[in-house]
Amino acid sequence: MDIISKIKDGLGHFSPAEEKVARLILADLSFAGAASISELAEKAQVSHASITRLAKSLDCDNVRDLKFRLTQSAAIGERFTNQELVEKQKISHVYTSIQEILAVNAGLIDESVVELASEAISQTRHCLIFGVGGGSSMMAQECQNRFFRLDVLSNAHSDPMMMRMAASTVNKGDVVLCLSLSGVSPDVMDAARIAKDYGAQVITICPDSELAQLADFHLPIKTQESDYIFKPSAARYVMMAALDILSSEVAIKNQRRSKEKLRRLKIQLDQHRHDNSDTPPADTRFPLGD
């Protein structure tokens, strides 16, 4: 359990002096992490020994260990620890944040790199797609849904052990597409290294990072988080746009195959929607897969 959660759980169970220090810490985390033991004692109006006892109550080795853990917690940002209530944003804020992050990323991806990456995918025997966490795992599955319609054999994996095992089974010429909104996902990086060692070509959609440096073809993205922590990250739309760019180019590269697969999809979906109708289905332009 992190140190802030331990302190909150202990409120009401500490000694009176320890309780003062605990509430001081929660009220001003940055100060508590940077202050000396004397400064903490003076501001909380307790003895040095009370701070030492609180550290022991929180299973810290000593006051220095307590301060280190507080500094770690403070590093995530005051927006997550501030006790003040967050003001509700208007619905338009969701649309605005999506538009802003797309504008930041417009033109960031090199068209020549997309052509090379899509050529590798079009020619591959098998494409593995790796992504962990909320946004990237969802996008990995979305990418598989795009590729099978284009006659590209692919499998998406988000479980770290499955990624490692799948990466170890690649052949030369196989493609591994790695997705990461941060670019610092250890599980994805490990799987990418394994696949690269066995001869796969690695494509990454991520910010400039260590993962990007592993890639044969890197499609860069930039993220931009706001202080409004209760809205899911708009960066998901940037990754989706990058996948749209890549899958559209793949479709063009192997368009004879992909057009036939899309034609079959269209027929079967329209028939499914109009099973009880006596008239032939019209070209209603529903999304392919809705």
Side-chain angles (χ1 to χ4, degrees):
M1 184 185 294
D2 68 272
I3 193 67
I4 300 301
S5 296
K6 280 189 174 183
I7 294 172
K8 289 180 177 179
D9 275 359
L11 291 177
H13 302 285
F14 298 128
S15 69
E18 291 172 358
E19 187 87 7
K20 285 183 179 181
V21 181
R23 293 192 179 278
L24 170 63
I25 290 171
L26 294 177
D28 195 342
L29 189 58
S30 297
F31 169 78
S36 66
I37 188 170
S38 296
E39 290 170 330
L40 280 173
E42 181 180 352
K43 191 163 184 177
Q45 297 183 329
V46 298
S47 66
H48 289 199
S50 296
I51 299 174
T52 302
R53 285 195 294 269
L54 176 63
K56 292 297 183 182
S57 297
L58 295 170
D59 297 323
C60 297
D61 295 335
N62 46 43
V63 175
R64 179 180 294 180
D65 184 32
L66 171 61
K67 284 166 54 60
F68 175 73
R69 297 190 194 187
L70 291 175
T71 302
Q72 284 185 317
S73 294
I76 69 168
E78 187 181 355
R79 59 196 178 127
F80 292 100
T81 57
N82 194 316
Q83 299 298 307
E84 295 180 7
L85 294 178
V86 176
E87 184 177 347
K88 178 183 175 181
Q89 297 283 341
K90 294 181 179 179
I91 291 175
S92 60
H93 173 71
V94 173
Y95 293 99
T96 300
S97 63
I98 295 169
Q99 292 167 348
E100 288 176 350
I101 193 63
L102 289 174
V104 167
N105 281 265
L108 198 62
I109 295 174
D110 190 323
E111 192 164 339
S112 63
V113 176
V114 175
E115 290 183 5
L116 292 171
S118 61
E119 182 69 27
I121 294 172
S122 299
Q123 298 299 323
T124 191
R125 176 192 70 94
H126 189 202
C127 179
L128 291 170
I129 309 156
F130 296 153
V132 298
S136 297
S137 59
M138 179 181 67
M139 288 296 110
Q141 188 62 56
E142 171 68 10
C143 188
Q144 179 182 314
N145 288 339
R146 305 282 184 89
F147 282 176
F148 87 81
R149 306 158 196 249
L150 307 177
D151 202 27
V152 175
L153 176 62
S154 61
N155 290 96
H157 296 289
S158 296
D159 177 85
M161 292 306 297
M162 281 301 299
M163 289 194 304
R164 294 180 74 92
M165 290 190 290
S168 70
T169 66
V170 299
N171 295 319
K172 287 187 177 181
D174 286 350
V175 170
V176 173
L177 175 57
C178 297
L179 311 178
S180 175
L181 288 173
S182 67
V184 290
S185 171
D187 295 316
V188 175
M189 285 193 285
D190 286 347
R193 289 191 187 98
I194 292 169
K196 200 172 180 71
D197 285 345
Y198 285 105
Q201 296 185 83
V202 174
I203 302 170
T204 58
I205 299 178
C206 65
D208 289 329
S209 58
E210 186 178 350
L211 177 60
Q213 293 170 11
L214 290 172
D216 297 289
F217 310 108
H218 174 221
L219 278 61
I221 59 174
K222 287 185 178 179
T223 61
Q224 179 177 276
E225 298 305 312
S226 71
D227 288 338
Y228 188 53
I229 63 174
F230 298 122
K231 181 186 70 61
S233 172
R236 295 171 299 148
Y237 296 91
V238 173
M239 183 171 283
M240 188 179 294
L243 288 175
D244 281 352
I245 291 168
L246 184 60
S247 60
S248 295
E249 189 67 24
V250 169
I252 290 293
K253 291 287 184 187
N254 65 353
Q255 59 180 285
R256 291 186 179 179
R257 290 156 45 203
S258 59
K259 188 181 289 185
E260 171 60 16
K261 299 299 183 184
L262 293 172
R263 183 190 69 82
R264 295 186 195 178
L265 276 170
K266 177 66 173 170
I267 287 175
Q268 294 303 320
L269 290 171
D270 283 352
Q271 287 181 349
H272 175 68
R273 295 184 185 110
H274 296 85
D275 272 347
N276 298 321
S277 175
D278 295 328
T279 58
D283 185 0
T284 51
R285 303 295 175 96
F286 286 124
L288 288 176
D290 180 22

